[in-house]
Amino acid sequence: MTAPDATRAASSTLRVVWATELLAYDFGFGHPMTSDRIDLTVALAAQLGLLDAPGVEVVGAEPASDALLATVHDPAYVAAVHAAAERGVPDLVRGLGTRDDPVFPQMHDAAARVVQGTVDAALAVWRGEADHAVNVGGGLHHAMPGAASGFCVYNDAAVAIRALLATGAQRVAYVDVDAHHGDGVQAVFWDDPRVLTVSVHETGFALFPGTGYPGETGGPGAEGTAVNVALPSHTDDAGWLRAVDAVVPAVVREFAPDVLVTQHGCDTHRMDPLATLRVSVDAQRAAAVLLHDLAHDVSDGRWVALGGGGYAILDVVPRTWTHLLGVAAHRPVDPATRVPQVWLDVVRQRYGRDAVPVMTDHASASFRPWSAGYDPADDVDRAVRATRTAVFPSLGLDPELD
């Protein structure tokens, strides 16, 4: 891990999307997608001094217009979301009113506000108003053009990428390290050679949405622009980081995007109740550093980072996304840092139990690089090799060497 130099830290700017109105994206009591994930993250980042640091700007967002949503979503679907929100009308065909996506009164405005926040953040980065931008409430990567899916109503990442392309970006790379396949973003850009979608996730044989296999490499005219690493269940830090390092930098560098958009779902963590990967906060932090540095290498630092999944809401999500904010602010939080007592007291009072008191899981986050050799007996290595074999040649890369 490379520490930021003093010049970069002094000149950097970070746009953080945050306002209390964003907490309205919440499916109700008992649902995993609680807005407490965002509230606790912002509170922890604030307690550690990240939100009022020099060069950090915190901005809210209004709900996106229907016209903006229609750059990705079918108008009939947007109308159905309005009806669900305003009149409580479910539409099970369009995924509204299901167990994953129950109807709630603020559904349209809350989801549209997330979209506008991510779009504004992406355009600020594109216009040079900020070096990096983070919306931890974003990353709703399962939403399809015509349906809600997997806790996601509107696909903020896809709308933001469309906005970047409409504003002049020639190529955008999207990298998703959520435990679940980034299927909605992949589906939107399946036939678009201007967008590279990369997803490193737990295999669809074991986990929703059941897609994201190595053979999914893009549609006609866009072959090689969908990259999927389907990892075996129970993959740990060493395997997860090895897989990320073995695929993501090579394909992103070859694609040479103007902007890098990343999704940092932290449901890869070993404590997450909805997935079975075995990743630590330290490895998630290392992945954020890798993606940040990659943005500086390939897209002149233009980086938009989003939240996503993550349902261990006290012990994982706030720490992981606070680390993400620190990396993006060029003020990375030392893993040995104690969690502020004020924050711990709030958690104790609100939830009746103590949270992890340090910003680390005491994991080394070390891994063996792909260049050290392929082990055909290793399940992770076989998964990585399947991806490299399926997609590297379409990008002009050698699956054995690059």
Side-chain angles (χ1 to χ4, degrees), residues 70-243:
T71 62
V72 164
H73 293 288
D74 300 339
Y77 171 62
V78 176
V81 178
H82 274 288
E86 295 159 14
R87 301 192 299 278
V89 179
D91 188 334
L92 299 182
V93 173
R94 294 186 171 95
L96 301 170
T98 64
R99 182 177 179 180
D100 276 0
D101 298 280
V103 170
F104 62 100
Q106 301 85 16
M107 176 177 270
H108 169 77
D109 280 359
R113 195 182 298 274
V114 173
V115 170
Q116 191 66 59
T118 299
V119 170
D120 290 346
L123 294 181
V125 167
W126 177 248
R127 291 190 295 256
E129 297 168 5
D131 296 333
H132 309 321
V134 176
N135 182 7
V136 293
L140 305 180
H141 60 167
H142 293 309
M144 294 291 178
S149 178
F151 314 160
C152 304
V153 177
Y154 295 133
N155 197 316
D156 62 297
V159 178
I161 292 169
R162 277 270 164 83
L164 287 167
L165 295 171
T167 311
Q170 299 298 305
R171 291 177 306 282
V172 179
Y174 170 81
V175 177
D176 189 318
V177 296
D178 194 287
H180 301 81
H181 177 224
D183 59 334
V185 183
Q186 175 180 287
V188 170
F189 299 108
W190 182 253
D191 296 317
D192 193 335
R194 300 172 298 170
V195 180
L196 175 74
T197 63
V198 186
S199 182
V200 182
H201 50 267
E202 185 172 348
T203 174
F205 285 119
L207 198 65
F208 175 90
T211 56
Y213 298 105
E216 299 170 32
T217 61
E223 296 87 350
T225 60
V227 181
N228 288 289
V229 184
L231 292 172
S233 299
H234 311 296
T235 297
D236 61 9
D237 281 6
W240 188 73
L241 287 171
R242 177 168 165 82

Side-chain angles (χ1 to χ4, degrees), residues 360-381:
T360 178
D361 287 337
H362 305 288
S364 66
S366 60
F367 64 95
R368 190 170 63 96
W370 190 255
S371 58
Y374 163 66
D375 180 1
D378 184 85
D379 289 343
V380 170
D381 276 19

